[in-house]
Amino acid sequence: MEVTFNSHEYFLHLAEDIINNFSKASRATTPVLVGTARENEIRLKLEKLLPSKVAIATGCIIDSYGKTSTQTDVILYERDQCPIFSINDTPEATYIPCEGVVAIGEIKSTLTATDLKDSINKIKRVKELQRYSNNKLCWRKYGSAMALEGAQSEIFDQINNSKDQIYGFILCQKFGLKIETLLEKYKELLNGIDDHLSPNMIISLEDGIILFMDKNNKKTCENKVFADSIYFFKHPEGEFQYLLTKLNHVINTGRTTEVLPYERYILKNTQTIPGNGIYKDI
């Protein structure tokens, strides 16, 4: 019996469990069921380990301008501030307003070139969604109903400020390409999209992590906007542990627009009362 609890060892065993459960998922009888089993494993783990102000789902993400993403494997959204619209309580047919979405993840077993392209495009579709705002100087922290107003330097900006974007990651059990080949393919695929629409991170539970870097200043970048290189490394304390830490940081420091998601989706114009009703003096 251990005298003290060691959280680092706990997470090492947790990462091993995820890898083992990914392997178990392959016993399912169709590719769709295999994928669903792996996605569910990650959703369950994140639900237990991330702050309670976020909930985990699968489904699609929408904006109030009429755009909808493709089906997304893992969606982190504001538990108390964000409505979800589910058709017949079907998880895959669930639609979540982008203003309440914190992060998304695409889950793969072995990340091939085809999977990489598909995941990049899915994350791009989500990041293209536009969060509605009445005042760009106002914003909310995730999980809060209170809007704050900042200076001009703190303007809400989904293109240039990574804190104002939905975080997007790709998680797999292992890479299906040699790392040099994978990095070259990743670079090629990124050339076809705007920098702010890129994934933020790729994580292989067995192989390592891919991030963006500012090589000259030797610091990591949240996306491609201010980066000059792609960087691969193995984290000494574990890849899943690094992902959890990053998602916690995004949840606690990220921003969204000041307008709560209920508005614009349930009643488009909350200020207008029809003028052709019936009056009765009192």
Side-chain angles (χ1 to χ4, degrees):
M1 182 176 69
E2 296 291 339
V3 178
T4 60
F5 176 75
N6 187 319
S7 61
H8 298 288
E9 287 187 5
Y10 172 84
F11 280 107
L12 285 173
H13 291 307
L14 183 71
E16 291 173 0
D17 286 344
I18 293 172
I19 292 172
N20 289 335
N21 289 339
F22 264 42
S23 297
K24 288 179 186 176
S26 62
R27 299 173 187 169
T29 54
T30 71
V32 171
L33 292 176
V34 169
T36 299
R38 286 178 177 141
E39 294 157 20
N40 193 53
E41 164 70 4
I42 296 301
R43 287 195 293 268
L44 289 173
K45 290 292 190 292
L46 294 179
E47 187 85 53
K48 291 178 180 178
L49 297 167
L50 291 175
S52 60
K53 64 183 176 181
V54 299
I56 316 294
T58 185
C60 301
I61 303 168
I62 58 176
D63 68 18
S64 62
Y65 299 92
K67 292 184 179 178
T68 303
S69 76
T70 55
Q71 195 270 335
T72 302
D73 296 338
V74 176
I75 303 172
L76 280 63
Y77 67 95
E78 298 177 290
R79 184 184 298 275
D80 296 326
Q81 309 302 336
C82 184
I84 62 172
F85 311 112
S86 186
I87 299 174
N88 295 337
D89 291 325
T90 306
E92 292 77 12
T94 295
Y95 299 84
I96 303 176
C98 64
E99 289 84 359
V101 175
V102 178
I104 57 161
E106 286 299 313
I107 312 301
K108 306 295 180 185
S109 52
T110 301
L111 188 66
T112 65
T114 300
D115 291 330
L116 179 62
K117 182 178 180 179
D118 177 66
S119 298
I120 290 172
N121 287 333
K122 286 184 174 181
I123 290 173
K124 170 180 172 288
R125 285 280 297 273
V126 172
K127 293 196 174 203
E128 285 175 331
L129 299 174
Q130 187 177 348
R131 289 170 164 173
Y132 178 79
S133 175
N134 287 317
N135 181 355
K136 294 294 185 182
L137 292 178
C138 289
W139 39 270
R140 291 187 302 111
K141 287 293 189 72
Y142 290 126
S144 173
M146 183 177 66
L148 303 173
E149 184 167 1
Q152 189 66 37
S153 60
E154 298 175 292
I155 192 169
F156 190 85
D157 183 353
Q158 280 187 253
I159 295 178
N160 296 300
N161 190 343
S162 60
K163 288 184 179 181
D164 299 341
Q165 300 169 345
I166 295 172
Y167 193 86
F169 64 91
I170 303 169
L171 174 66
C172 65
Q173 180 177 344
K174 59 186 177 181
F175 294 142
L177 301 170
K178 292 183 178 179
I179 189 59
E180 287 294 338
T181 306
L182 180 63
L183 293 177
E184 190 60 39
K185 186 64 179 178
Y186 191 31
K187 175 183 174 181
E188 174 191 325
L189 292 170
L190 289 174
N191 286 335
I193 66 171
D194 293 338
D195 290 350
H196 69 286
L197 303 177
S198 63
N200 298 86
M201 178 165 54
I202 301 175
I203 314 100
S204 165
L205 295 172
E206 294 185 7
D207 300 312
I209 300 167
I210 298 174
L211 295 174
F212 292 102
M213 286 285 291
D214 176 351
K215 187 167 56 177
N216 293 328
N217 294 310
K218 295 183 179 179
K219 66 177 185 179
T220 60
C221 299
E222 292 296 343
N223 56 28
K224 193 185 173 189
V225 173
F226 299 109
D228 59 20
S229 59
I230 302 168
Y231 181 61
F232 167 76
F233 66 102
K234 281 192 68 65
H235 198 282
E237 295 188 46
E239 279 60 46
F240 187 70
Q241 293 88 317
Y242 186 84
L243 172 63
L244 277 177
T245 303
K246 176 58 67 176
L247 290 177
N248 267 289
H249 178 75
V250 171
I251 290 165
N252 291 315
T253 64
R255 311 190 306 176
T256 185
T257 48
E258 86 288 4
V259 179
L260 291 170
Y262 283 95
E263 300 181 29
R264 301 267 297 180
Y265 293 93
I266 298 176
L267 192 63
K268 280 192 174 182
N269 193 335
T270 59
Q271 305 302 316
T272 299
I273 300 295
N276 57 349
I278 298 174
Y279 289 93
K280 179 68 175 179
D281 292 338
I282 56 173

